[in-house]
């Protein structure tokens, strides 16, 4: 003989379904942990990875304009510093982890070097 609590528990599990997102959502509801912020989601919660991937592909395929200021940081120096970062450190407000930085393509590393040089150039 099943109790009302047992029946409602079975209903909750059935609603979670077999997909990972439903089970993940149920876990967060039961554990009391907040649902993580997903930066690749639109405000309505729908994914828009294709738009972001298209934008990033166009950005990384575009030629890099020549630097007008003397180079202070080279892409190799930026890459070396990224590799020296500890992987287990918490991400900053942008939520970019050190592990994600280590997987940046060479064009992104060059862009970071130019950004750092521009910041230094503007004081």
């Amino acid at each position: 003989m099943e109790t009302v609590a047992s029946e409602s528990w079975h209903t909750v599990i059935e609603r979670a379904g077999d997909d990972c997102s439903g089970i993940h959502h149920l876990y967060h509801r039961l554990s009391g942990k907040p649902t993580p912020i997903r930066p690749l989601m639109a405000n309505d919660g729908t994914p828009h990875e294709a738009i972001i991937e298209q934008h990033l592909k166009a950005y990384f395929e575009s030629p890099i304009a020549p630097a007008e200021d003397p180079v202070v940081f080279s892409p190799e120096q930026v890459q070396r510093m990224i590799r020296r970062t500890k992987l287990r450190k918490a991400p900053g407000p942008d939520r970019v982890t050190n592990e994600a930085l280590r997987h940046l393509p060479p064009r992104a590393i060059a862009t970071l070097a130019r950004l750092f040089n521009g910041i230094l150039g503007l004081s």
Side-chain angles (χ1 to χ4, degrees), residues 41-61:
M41 297 290 217
N43 291 336
D44 61 358
T46 59
H48 58 276
E49 295 100 350
I51 296 169
I52 293 171
E53 285 176 7
Q54 181 183 18
H55 176 74
L56 289 174
K57 183 178 179 184
Y59 174 77
F60 287 123
E61 288 178 352

Side-chain angles (χ1 to χ4, degrees), residues 24-34:
H24 187 72
H25 180 69
L26 176 61
Y27 163 75
H28 280 286
R29 279 188 29 214
L30 293 174
S31 68
K33 294 181 180 177

